[in-house]
């Protein structure tokens, strides 16, 4: 595991499983929850992706990045998808309980955004920073209002995984010889065109920690009578976000309501209103034949769904700031780190945030309790 300067790794034993975390040298374990930030990665990644932002945050914060089960150095325990993302959020809680951290500020990326929304429904959270988060209604198979298109979630879950991509994960393919190699997928989907980094090998290394054992990525699928012929199963990573298993739109009713920062890019290929990972959108584009049309299988309006739910959250008394970054892909913390850092520090109420450069003009207050 490639660790950057000042970053350390250790395993935490919990009653649920062994959880790997990254920390910074010199962070004080006695730091209170109000100055503790916990990072949760997304699908096909690990805590390694957070190292740059961990290095860049002020030294008087305590910063922790957690590997979810089946990723990074954490135990490859199977995932019960019928619980949505609760296996993951309960694992995070168990790790923090072992560290004697009663609550914290949480940052979740993509699937990790769903994990921390579920966490906030079940446990206290001081703030939520949602980076390119999965829709509160899950991934695929829903109308704008969150209602499900079919009873079996046709086109959702593990059946949509590319078998060659899964095979290349399992064989630790670091090449860029095929569009389905992890490196090619990173370049095409995780970041916007033009992004480069001296750490690309580390980002690919992180992707390759994904367990493809039974019960992990991608999971099982069912046969469906509805187009495109498969539905979501009950175990494995991709099925956790199928709408029959996952719906965290009830965060609107949280009391108290932690402040929320929502950061996303306009060039995100994975989470958008026209996602290249949404089977129905691929059908509409003619990539997958036989699409039955927008009345039956409309593309999921993921970003609009998130905005709708967070607007209701604000209307109910919460504070929500949206930071939409033009031309940025699925990884704002890599592509626009300065803006991400500033917005995060303001969200957690860090006193020194005002000393940072001027806040980005793209920041929008959807609703503020102030």
């Amino acid at each position: 595991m490639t660790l950057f300067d000042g970053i350390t790794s250790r395993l935490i034993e919990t009653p649920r499983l062994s959880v790997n975390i990254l920390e910074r040298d010199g962070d004080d374990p006695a730091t209170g929850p109000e100055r503790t930030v916990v990072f949760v990665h997304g699908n096909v990644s690990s805590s390694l992706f957070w190292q740059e932002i961990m290095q860049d945050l002020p030294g008087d914060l305590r910063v922790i990045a957690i590997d979810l089960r089946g990723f990074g150095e954490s135990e490859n325990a199977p995932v019960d998808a019928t619980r949505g993302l609760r296996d993951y959020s309960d694992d995070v809680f168990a790790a923090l309980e072992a560290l004697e951290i009663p609550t914290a500020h949480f940052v979740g990326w993509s699937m990790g955004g769903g994990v921390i929304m579920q966490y906030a429904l079940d446990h206290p959270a001081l703030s939520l920073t949602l980076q390119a988060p999965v829709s509160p209604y899950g991934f695929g198979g829903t109308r704008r209002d969150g209602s499900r298109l079919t009873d079996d979630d046709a086109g959702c879950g593990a059946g949509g995984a590319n078998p060659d991509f899964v095979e290349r994960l399992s064989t630790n393919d670091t090449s860029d010889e095929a569009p389905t190699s992890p490196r090619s997928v990173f370049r095409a989907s995780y970041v916007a065109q033009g992004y480069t980094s001296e750490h690309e090998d580390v980002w690919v290394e992180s992707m390759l920690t994904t367990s493809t054992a039974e019960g992990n990525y991608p999971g099982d699928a069912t046969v469906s009578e509805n187009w495109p012929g498969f539905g979501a199963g009950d175990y494995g990573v991709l099925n956790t976000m199928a709408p029959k298993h996952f719906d965290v739109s009830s965060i609107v009713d949280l009391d108290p309501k932690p402040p929320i920062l929502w950061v996303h890019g306009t060039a995100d290929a994975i989470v958008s209103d026209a996602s290249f990972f949404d089977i129905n959108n691929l059908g509409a584009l003619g990539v997958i034949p036989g699409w039955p049309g927008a009345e039956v299988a409309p593309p999921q309006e993921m970003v609009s769904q998130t905005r709708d739910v967070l607007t209701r959250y604000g209307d109910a008394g919460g504070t929500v700031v949206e930071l939409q970054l033009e031309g940025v892909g699925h990884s704002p913390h890599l592509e626009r780190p300065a803006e991400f850092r500033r917005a995060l520090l303001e969200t957690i109420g860090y006193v020194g945030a005002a000393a940072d450069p001027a806040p980005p003009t793209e920041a929008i207050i959807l609703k503020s309790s102030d």
Side-chain angles (χ1 to χ4, degrees):
M1 186 165 60
T2 304
L3 298 179
F4 294 178
D5 289 345
I7 305 296
T8 61
S9 169
R10 64 175 168 133
L11 279 175
I12 305 297
E13 296 300 330
T14 81
R16 295 176 58 80
L17 77 167
S18 298
V19 177
N20 186 68
I21 66 170
L22 299 188
E23 300 172 288
R24 299 187 303 185
D25 283 334
D27 280 5
D28 185 356
T31 301
E34 70 283 351
R35 299 181 82 81
T36 299
V37 183
V38 176
F39 291 90
V40 181
H41 64 82
N43 189 19
V44 191
S45 62
S46 75
S47 60
L48 293 179
F49 267 100
W50 294 118
Q51 292 186 92
E52 285 183 319
I53 187 66
M54 291 175 71
Q55 288 177 318
D56 289 343
L57 288 177
D60 56 348
L61 296 175
R62 186 182 185 188
V63 182
I64 297 168
I66 293 179
D67 281 335
L68 299 175
R69 63 169 64 194
F71 300 97
E73 298 296 312
S74 285
E75 189 175 332
N76 294 341
V79 180
D80 180 359
T82 66
R83 305 185 72 233
L85 290 170
R86 263 200 177 94
D87 270 1
Y88 296 125
S89 64
D90 285 352
D91 292 346
V92 171
F93 177 76
L96 295 184
E97 195 170 44
L99 291 167
E100 298 182 345
I101 299 174
T103 186
H105 299 280
F106 292 89
V107 182
W109 175 27
S110 195
M111 182 180 78
V115 172
I116 68 170
M117 284 189 274
Q118 183 63 65
Y119 187 101
L121 289 174
D122 298 331
H123 311 288
L126 297 180
S127 71
L128 303 178
T129 294
L130 307 173
Q131 176 179 253
V134 62
S135 163
Y137 299 114
F139 200 94
T142 56
R143 299 175 183 84
R144 172 75 175 262
D145 65 0
S147 58
R148 292 165 59 201
L149 299 178
T150 64
D151 290 338
D152 58 2
D153 288 353
C156 300
N162 186 300
D164 193 59
F165 176 64
V166 177
E167 174 66 18
R168 290 174 184 274
L169 284 175
S170 68
T171 58
N172 292 312
D173 179 9
T174 62
S175 74
D176 60 0
E177 65 181 23
T180 51
S181 74
R183 189 179 299 274
S184 296
V185 170
F186 171 80
R187 292 174 180 173
S189 304
Y190 280 44
V191 292
Q193 185 176 4
Y195 168 86
T196 59
S197 170
E198 63 179 319
H199 301 306
E200 183 179 270
D201 286 347
V202 181
W203 312 149
V204 175
E205 174 189 340
S206 177
M207 296 172 70
L208 291 172
T209 67
T210 303
S211 170
T212 56
E214 185 174 4
N216 293 132
Y217 185 86
D220 66 326
T222 61
V223 176
S224 173
E225 295 181 355
N226 302 298
W227 184 87
F230 68 86
D234 289 336
Y235 67 82
V237 178
L238 293 185
N239 295 316
T240 63
M241 294 171 282
K244 70 176 179 178
H245 299 318
F246 178 76
D247 182 343
V248 291
S249 60
S250 59
I251 61 169
V252 168
D253 302 319
L254 279 176
D255 184 20
K257 289 179 166 57
I260 293 178
L261 168 64
W262 173 31
V263 185
H264 62 108
T266 62
D268 192 333
I270 298 175
V271 176
S272 78
D273 284 358
S275 168
F276 290 106
F277 288 71
D278 178 9
I279 297 296
N280 289 351
N281 185 51
L282 294 178
L285 294 173
V287 176
I288 300 177
W291 182 59
E295 288 296 318
V296 176
Q300 183 188 11
E301 297 176 80
M302 303 176 187
V303 171
S304 295
Q305 288 177 334
T306 298
R307 185 173 289 113
D308 290 346
V309 170
L310 294 184
T311 297
R312 295 205 306 272
Y313 185 92
D315 290 341
T319 297
V320 181
V321 173
E322 175 185 0
L323 177 57
Q324 177 176 276
L325 297 171
E326 190 67 30
V328 169
H330 193 57
S331 310
H333 74 292
L334 298 182
E335 299 172 71
R336 297 275 283 274
E339 289 94 332
F340 182 86
R341 177 184 188 274
R342 169 64 189 245
L344 171 59
L345 290 176
E346 289 193 334
T347 299
I348 70 173
Y350 185 73
V351 174
D356 274 7
T361 56
E362 292 115 320
I364 303 166
I365 297 178
L366 288 183
K367 190 75 173 183
S368 173
S369 60
D370 297 333

